[in-house]
Amino acid sequence: MGTKSGIFDMIGPVMIGPSSSHTAGVVRIARAAIRVLGGVPDTAIITFYNSFARTYEGHGSDKAIIGGLLDFKTDDANIKVSFDLAKEKGLLFNFKSIGNASVYHPNTIKLNLTKGDRKVEVIGESLGGGVINIAEIDGFNANFSAQSHTLIIKAEDVSGAIAFISSVIAQEKTNIATMSVSRKGKNDIACHVIEMDSGIRPTTIAYLNSLTWIKELIYIPDID
Amino acid sequence: MRFLFDSFVGWKSHCENHHISLHQAVIDFEISQKNGLEEDIWLGLQNAYSIMKDAVDTGLSADMTSRSGMINNGAKQVYKHPLAVLSVDFQKLISRALAAKEVNSCMGRVVAAPTAGASGILPGTLYTLQEIHGLSDQKILEGLLVGAGIALIIEQKASLAGAVGGCQAETGSAAAMASGAIVYCLGGSIDQVFNAVAITIQCMLGLVCDPVAGLVEVPCVVRNASAAAIAFSSAQIAIAAVSSVIPVDECIEAMGEIGSSMESRYKETAMGGLAATLTGQEISKRVLIQDIEILPDEHSS
């Protein structure tokens, strides 16, 4: 888990019931995922795992995930009627359930989202009290909480990449809270996930984006 | 500051070394972790407390019938009943904890403190504490800060999620927060506050999460009421300087150990306990859509 919890994770979030794991956390997972995608999706396949597999419907997690995909906050009364609003916005969705996936946390959701030509797969875990961990993005380990400012960079596996990226961020006068790098193989694409204490400037994001060895950059400011 | 919310011992020695109160340490921690302003913290707490009180009032006035029908305006019934089995204050406490939790079950607006499944406990206890003792809002907010500190440590050492640690992790943690807050608001010492937490955890240990039909309704709503009662009983014991014998950090560790050895059918999966009873199963068939496909594990080897 990335950033340590604070007061308002314990006395909060303010949310629509009934369950912080099944409603608020689920909304947050979806809101993080649409930021990875870059907007409200056209289509969504939502897979509920383990504890979620049997109970998601009774807890209203189905309404919560659709509400989150529409970017509703955890205390938005529209969550109750998110299916109707999804229809209005042209979001097509369906649900799947998978039990006994021992490799996953008890409360895990996989989101396969599309928007135009863009496709992403995000795996999120609802840790309780509305706190989340985004475990994977497109098969790369991610492990961020979306509570701080997060930078996700997919880049060629070049030497010095980690030092370079962290030195650019250092110029922004923000601290790196966590940084993880994973790759699918030697000289394959590497995925850098960096959680920062505060935001960075658009010009810096544009600069990083302009580098040829950086293939994709996603910046997620804290989501609420 | 870094180690402050890893243990109660650390929290206490931090306060003693810096000559600050328990709630001030929580504020300092929050500012150091989140780069926030103290003013915003107080505003956030005031907002949370007013939503808690709204939930109590809503649950005691608006219609509270859940989709399943299992929750059906019980809080109002308790509040209005002519016979108080213990005292009128006790009757109000129980009905208020029920009320706020019913709002949550009926997809209303609550503060998850620490989780939505336990969202009736702090509202019921603090509302009633404030009324009985004529405490200022400021004092209650300080109590909330102490409650937050308690939950931060429990999250580190055990868990706050029913799916990870059972009901003890949710209603047990909320009761511990409430009990510590009560003793703090009434002027108890650090040891008395921590004893209240320890005693509450001792009373809540082992509680499984077995919600009927997987809904946060039965037994969650009544457990919010019993947890509120335990918060007060533990506070009464602790404020008289009676020791918990087992130190609070070790009580939390015991909760973590019990949670990790608890079978998954008792962790919010709706497969054990009350959910697995004959009536529980019948309700489940009636209220849940049955054609959910459980695919085989796609990662099994």
Side-chain angles (χ1 to χ4, degrees), chain A residues 4-13 131, chain B residues 4-8 11 22-31 33-34 41-42 44-45 48 52 111-115 122 126 139-157 160 173-182 184-185 193-194 197 252:
Chain A
K4 222 172 175 185
S5 300
I7 294 175
F8 294 106
D9 302 308
M10 302 298 119
I11 309 294
V131 179
Chain B
L4 174 55
F5 286 102
D6 288 346
S7 72
F8 285 89
W11 188 5
L22 283 175
H23 82 265
Q24 187 59 48
V26 182
I27 290 177
D28 294 348
F29 169 81
E30 179 76 2
I31 290 171
Q33 290 292 307
K34 305 281 172 183
I41 293 172
W42 291 113
L45 290 167
M52 287 180 181
V111 182
T115 63
L122 282 164
L126 297 180
K139 186 49 81 182
I140 297 293
L141 303 189
E142 290 173 11
L144 277 176
L145 282 167
V146 170
I150 292 164
L152 284 164
I153 297 170
I154 297 175
E155 190 194 38
Q156 290 291 310
K157 280 177 156 327
L160 299 170
S173 299
M177 293 163 74
S179 193
I182 292 165
Y184 190 72
C185 288
V193 170
F194 289 1
V197 175
I252 307 294

Side-chain angles (χ1 to χ4, degrees), chain B residues 6-286:
Chain B
D6 288 346
S7 72
F8 285 89
V9 163
W11 188 5
K12 183 184 174 185
S13 62
H14 178 87
C15 290
E16 287 175 347
N17 293 341
H18 294 83
H19 307 288
I20 57 171
S21 59
L22 283 175
H23 82 265
Q24 187 59 48
V26 182
I27 290 177
D28 294 348
F29 169 81
E30 179 76 2
I31 290 171
S32 75
Q33 290 292 307
K34 305 281 172 183
N35 299 314
L37 298 171
E38 180 165 342
E39 195 187 319
D40 292 336
I41 293 172
W42 291 113
L43 285 173
L45 290 167
Q46 186 68 60
N47 181 50
Y49 186 47
S50 82
I51 292 166
M52 287 180 181
K53 288 190 291 188
D54 284 349
V56 168
D57 294 337
T58 303
L60 290 175
S61 56
D63 176 51
M64 286 297 137
T65 310
S66 67
R67 201 194 58 162
S68 73
M70 288 191 287
I71 300 308
N72 183 18
N73 296 299
K76 285 187 278 292
Q77 221 172 311
V78 173
Y79 194 84
K80 289 177 189 156
H81 193 74
L83 178 65
V85 298
L86 181 58
S87 70
V88 172
D89 286 332
F90 185 74
Q91 185 179 12
K92 285 182 181 170
L93 169 72
I94 297 306
S95 59
R96 283 168 182 158
L98 292 172
K101 182 60 191 68
E102 285 181 3
V103 167
N104 173 69
S105 293
C106 299
M107 282 194 106
R109 199 159 173 253
V110 294
V111 182
T115 63
S119 61
I121 296 162
L122 282 164
T125 50
L126 297 180
Y127 195 121
T128 306
L129 181 77
Q130 183 171 35
E131 185 179 82
I132 293 173
H133 294 278
L135 300 175
S136 65
D137 272 9
Q138 173 65 25
K139 186 49 81 182
I140 297 293
L141 303 189
E142 290 173 11
L144 277 176
L145 282 167
V146 170
I150 292 164
L152 284 164
I153 297 170
I154 297 175
E155 190 194 38
Q156 290 291 310
K157 280 177 156 327
S159 172
L160 299 170
V164 178
C167 190
Q168 57 169 5
E170 297 211 19
T171 60
S173 299
M177 293 163 74
S179 193
I182 292 165
V183 172
Y184 190 72
C185 288
L186 296 178
S189 67
I190 292 178
D191 284 337
Q192 289 168 359
V193 170
F194 289 1
N195 263 325
V197 175
I199 292 165
T200 303
I201 294 295
Q202 291 178 6
C203 296
M204 302 294 286
L205 278 183
L207 206 53
V208 300
C209 180
D210 52 353
V212 172
L215 303 177
V216 197
E217 299 184 10
V218 175
C220 322
V221 171
V222 294
R223 280 193 194 153
N224 271 251
S226 60
I230 285 174
F232 272 99
S233 77
S234 305
Q236 186 71 73
I237 295 167
I239 210 159
V242 175
S243 168
S244 64
V245 182
I246 307 297
V248 60
D249 284 307
E250 294 175 39
C251 292
I252 307 294
E253 281 155 18
M255 187 167 104
E257 180 242 304
I258 291 168
S260 56
S261 64
M262 205 180 266
E263 291 184 31
S264 74
R265 66 177 189 273
Y266 301 128
K267 293 180 183 176
E268 214 175 279
T269 53
M271 295 172 81
L274 294 171
T277 59
L278 202 59
T279 304
Q281 304 262 32
E282 278 168 14
I283 292 170
S284 178
K285 275 187 195 132
R286 179 168 59 76

Side-chain angles (χ1 to χ4, degrees), chain A residues 15 20 22-23 34 42 44 62 65 81 88 96 102 110 115 117 128 134 137 164 184 190-191 201 218 224:
Chain A
M15 56 166 281
S20 48
H22 289 73
T23 322
I34 61 172
D42 303 327
D62 46 357
I65 198 90
V81 292
E88 279 173 29
K96 284 165 122 181
S102 56
K110 183 165 82 184
K115 180 181 173 62
D117 295 338
I134 299 298
I137 293 174
F164 180 83
K184 289 183 172 166
C191 183
R201 292 171 304 162
I218 299 158
D224 47 19

